[in-house]
């Protein structure tokens, strides 16, 4: 059964500290020979968390962590728009993670071919549950328009895809992306949304106000992040006070 909780922090740093602690505790229950599979996100709040992890890296067993990406912009890995480059600069360059544990989406490849290749990579690397790869932990950001990963509003083809990865186009720039599908994300054990800043407040309030079963599904296609639910565990929203001005710090909603 899926559960959802929302935790409000006074600052992005406290939010990042909580995430780091959660990762360490979750990795502590790994059995011998097991890896911990983490699906990474692009975006400004996830980047702050990567920077925090780099500064507080000592308690993390990097050899046991496998990193995957939930979405990638279709650009080469050395371009500033690349999510791989963002994670490399903020995290990978600073921590002792073996290169064999890093599974990037090749933004420089043909997107359709890459979506298929990456889905195969995941299927080979990540243990499955319900016939689908089941990530130990998925990190997600929230776009001001309600998108998450590169699942954009009203992109029903990708939102309800039965595949693992698809090709999407950014609704304004048209930039192509390779993105995890909702069914892959929702099959994770734990899903953590990382949301900070005033610009997110309106969308966050709308999404957290969702009461679920009473709403007809089509309405929620406008807000892909509202369709995220962990079929095998929990969704945790880590938000700062700027993004959740109506809520008290320390509150679990
Ligand atoms: C990306 C994403 C995307 C991101 C949100 C939030 O590559 O852009 O993976 O889903 O997480 O857009 O990004 P910001 O925190 O920068 O607004």
């Amino acid at each position: 059964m899926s559960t959802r909780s929302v935790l409000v922090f006074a600052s992005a740093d406290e939010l990042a500290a909580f995430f780091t602690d959660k990762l360490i505790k979750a990795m502590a229950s790994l059995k011998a020979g097991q890896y911990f599979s983490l699906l990474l996100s692009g975006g400004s709040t996830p980047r702050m968390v990567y920077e925090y992890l780099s500064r507080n890296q000592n308690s993390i067993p990097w050899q046991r962590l496998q990193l995957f990406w939930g979405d990638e912009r279709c650009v080469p890995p050395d371009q500033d728009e690349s999510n791989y480059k963002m994670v490399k600069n903020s995290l990978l360059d600073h921590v002792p993670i073996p290169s064999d544990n890093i599974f990037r989406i090749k933004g420089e490849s043909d997107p359709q071919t890459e979506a298929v290749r990456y889905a195969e990579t995941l299927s080979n690397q990540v243990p499955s549950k319900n016939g689908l790869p089941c990530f130990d932990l998925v990190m997600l950001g929230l776009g001001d328009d309600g998108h998450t990963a590169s699942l954009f509003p009203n992109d029903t083809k990708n939102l309800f895809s039965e595949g693992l990865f698809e090709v999407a186009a950014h609704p304004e720039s048209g930039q192509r992306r390779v993105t995890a599908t909702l069914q892959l994300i929702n099959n994770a054990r734990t899903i953590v949304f990382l949301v900070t800043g005033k610009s997110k407040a309106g969308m966050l309030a709308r999404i957290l106000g969702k009461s679920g079963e009473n709403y007809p599904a089509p309405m929620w296609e406008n807000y892909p992040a509202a369709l995220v639910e962990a079929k095998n565990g929990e969704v945790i929203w880590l938000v700062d006070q700027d993004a959740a001005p109506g809520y008290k710090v320390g509150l679990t909603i």
Side-chain angles (χ1 to χ4, degrees):
M1 204 194 67
S2 175
T3 61
R4 184 188 82 176
S5 48
V6 184
L7 278 72
V8 185
F9 296 89
S11 68
D13 230 43
E14 285 173 39
L15 180 157
F18 181 92
F19 178 88
T20 303
D21 194 49
K22 181 143 189 83
L23 177 64
I24 293 166
K25 285 187 179 132
M27 289 191 73
S29 60
L30 281 177
K31 299 201 179 75
Q34 272 183 342
Y35 286 99
F36 189 89
S37 54
L38 175 60
L39 192 74
L40 303 170
S41 170
S44 54
T45 313
R47 191 185 61 236
M48 280 192 268
V49 172
Y50 304 141
E51 288 165 355
Y52 186 94
L53 283 171
S54 327
R55 294 195 302 272
N56 298 275
Q57 55 181 273
N58 290 343
S59 313
I60 296 167
W62 296 100
Q63 311 285 330
R64 320 269 317 263
L65 187 62
Q66 288 189 325
L67 300 179
F68 303 84
W69 273 254
D71 70 327
E72 183 57 282
R73 292 96 183 267
C74 294
V75 297
D78 58 353
Q79 284 197 13
D80 287 345
E81 295 230 13
S82 161
N83 276 342
Y84 168 75
K85 182 176 177 184
M86 185 274 274
V87 179
K88 182 175 183 300
N89 288 346
S90 56
L91 180 67
L92 306 179
D93 284 349
H94 313 286
V95 298
I97 186 161
S99 57
D100 284 354
N101 293 14
I102 300 169
F103 298 88
R104 77 175 177 92
I105 300 174
K106 294 183 178 162
E108 69 276 31
S109 298
D110 167 66
Q112 207 68 57
T113 312
E114 181 59 9
V116 173
R117 184 198 70 84
Y118 202 61
E120 279 169 15
T121 302
L122 290 190
S123 302
N124 292 333
Q125 295 295 331
V126 180
S128 66
K129 189 163 180 172
N130 312 322
L132 297 170
C134 174
F135 281 94
D136 292 308
L137 182 57
V138 167
M139 299 170 80
L140 292 174
L142 174 68
D144 298 354
D145 61 354
H147 82 259
T148 194
S150 285
L151 295 167
F152 295 104
N154 300 312
D155 183 2
T156 46
K157 181 179 93 42
N158 286 341
L159 279 170
F160 302 115
S161 161
E162 291 184 355
L164 302 179
F165 272 81
E166 297 286 357
V167 179
H170 188 281
E172 281 154 29
S173 66
Q175 181 189 57
R176 295 215 284 173
R177 311 277 183 96
V178 173
T179 184
T181 60
L182 202 55
Q183 76 148 354
L184 175 62
I185 291 170
N186 285 353
N187 200 49
R189 250 178 256 292
T190 302
I191 300 172
V192 178
F193 274 98
L194 303 156
V195 187
T196 57
K198 289 191 172 64
S199 70
K200 313 282 180 187
M203 185 51 66
L204 186 66
R206 210 162 299 156
I207 287 176
L208 297 185
K210 176 191 175 194
S211 71
E213 56 279 6
N214 296 330
Y215 285 94
M219 178 179 171
W220 293 106
E221 290 166 21
N222 297 328
Y223 310 117
L227 296 170
V228 171
E229 53 178 9
K231 296 252 159 62
N232 305 306
E234 53 175 356
V235 180
I236 307 170
W237 288 79
L238 304 184
V239 308
D240 76 347
Q241 180 83 87
D242 283 345
Y247 299 107
K248 279 196 186 131
V249 169
L251 193 69
T252 303
I253 301 161

